[in-house]
C-alpha cells in the first residue's frame, strides 16, 4: 500500500482519476467500487471531465456502490444509488444497468446482502475501490470496531455517523 498526501481535493481527485484511467486503459471492463460522501466528489468530477473529453470510457466497466440505507424510498435523493447516479454514473458513459448496489428496500435484507456479494463475485470482484473515511473513522458504514473480514450486512450506525449525515435529511 502506498500513502499519498496531497494539498487539496482537486489534486487528490486528479491523482485518483489517474489511477482509474490507467486501470480502464489496461482493463476496459474493470469493476469499480463506488463510494458516496464528500471525499470522492473531486474524483468523480475529474473522471466526468475526462470522459467528456474522450480520455476515459466506462462503456465496458461495471460499478458497485459501497453501501446503502435500509428503508429509504427508491426515489429518495439521499438513497446512495441515487447519489451515485447524480454525482457520477449519469455524468459518464456507463451503460444502463452497469452500476449496482445493495438493495435497501428488500423484504429479506440478509438475502439481498448475499445476492449483492454474489453479484460482485460474478463480476470478477472489485478491481479498484474508492473510499472515504467518516469523522469517527468508519469506512463504508463499517463503524469503528467492525471486523475487517465482515461482508455486506445490516449495520447500526453510530451516533456520530447519524449526526454527520443528518445534514442530508433536513
Amino acid at each position: 500500500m502506498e500513502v499519498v498526501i496531497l494539498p487539496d481535493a482537486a489534486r487528490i481527485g486528479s491523482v485518483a482519476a489517474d489511477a482509474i484511467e490507467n486501470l480502464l486503459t489496461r482493463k476496459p471492463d474493470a469493476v469499480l467500487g463506488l463510494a458516496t460522501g464528500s471525499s470522492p466528489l473531486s474524483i468523480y468530477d475529474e473522471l466526468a471531465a475526462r470522459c467528456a473529453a474522450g480520455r476515459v470510457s466506462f462503456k465496458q466497466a461495471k460499478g458497485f456502490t459501497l453501501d446503502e440505507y435500509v428503508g429509504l424510498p427508491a426515489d429518495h435523493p439521499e438513497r446512495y444509488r441515487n447519489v451515485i447516479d447524480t454525482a457520477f454514473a449519469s455524468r459518464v458513459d456507463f451503460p444502463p444497468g452497469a452500476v449496482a448496489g445493495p438493495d435497501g428496500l428488500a423484504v429479506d435484507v440478509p438475502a439481498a446482502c448475499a445476492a449483492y456479494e454474489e453479484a460482485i463475485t460474478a463480476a470478477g470482484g472489485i478491481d479498484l475501490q474508492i473510499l472515504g473515511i467518516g469523522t469517527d473513522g468508519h469506512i463504508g458504514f463499517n463503524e469503528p470496531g467492525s471486523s475487517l473480514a465482515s461482508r455486506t450486512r445490516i449495520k447500526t450506525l453510530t451516533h456520530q455517523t447519524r449526526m454527520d449525515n443528518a445534514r442530508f435529511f433536513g
Side-chain angles (χ1 to χ4, degrees):
M1 175 190 317
E2 178 182 8
V3 176
V4 179
I5 299 171
L6 298 166
D8 56 46
R11 186 74 181 120
I12 293 167
S14 179
V15 168
D18 287 345
I20 295 165
E21 181 178 351
N22 290 335
L23 171 64
L24 290 169
T25 298
R26 289 188 322 274
K27 185 178 180 185
D29 62 345
V31 179
L32 302 175
L34 306 173
T36 58
S38 304
S39 303
L41 293 178
S42 63
I43 302 167
Y44 297 149
D45 288 344
E46 182 64 25
L47 289 170
R50 291 180 188 196
C51 186
R55 284 183 55 182
V56 66
S57 176
F58 297 85
K59 287 181 183 175
Q60 297 177 53
K62 291 184 177 154
F64 287 91
T65 60
L66 184 60
D67 45 22
E68 184 59 86
Y69 289 108
V70 173
L72 282 185
D75 63 347
H76 195 287
E78 296 305 327
R79 183 173 176 250
Y80 281 167
R81 182 63 186 86
N82 298 336
V83 171
I84 288 293
D85 270 346
T86 301
F88 182 52
S90 67
R91 300 170 59 202
V92 298
D93 58 351
F94 275 118
V99 177
D103 184 357
L105 294 174
V107 173
D108 184 345
V109 175
C113 291
Y116 176 72
E117 292 283 342
E118 290 169 14
I120 292 171
T121 299
I126 303 291
D127 293 303
L128 187 148
Q129 177 67 56
I130 298 170
L131 294 171
I133 301 175
T135 60
D136 65 357
H138 77 260
I139 298 173
F141 282 164
N142 284 301
E143 298 289 2
S146 295
S147 168
L148 294 176
S150 62
R151 308 308 289 180
T152 304
R153 73 219 183 277
I154 296 174
K155 185 68 182 160
T156 301
L157 303 179
T158 64
H159 176 75
Q160 183 64 50
T161 299
R162 289 193 311 270
M163 296 310 310
D164 289 348
N165 289 357
R167 70 185 191 270
F168 300 119
F169 295 93

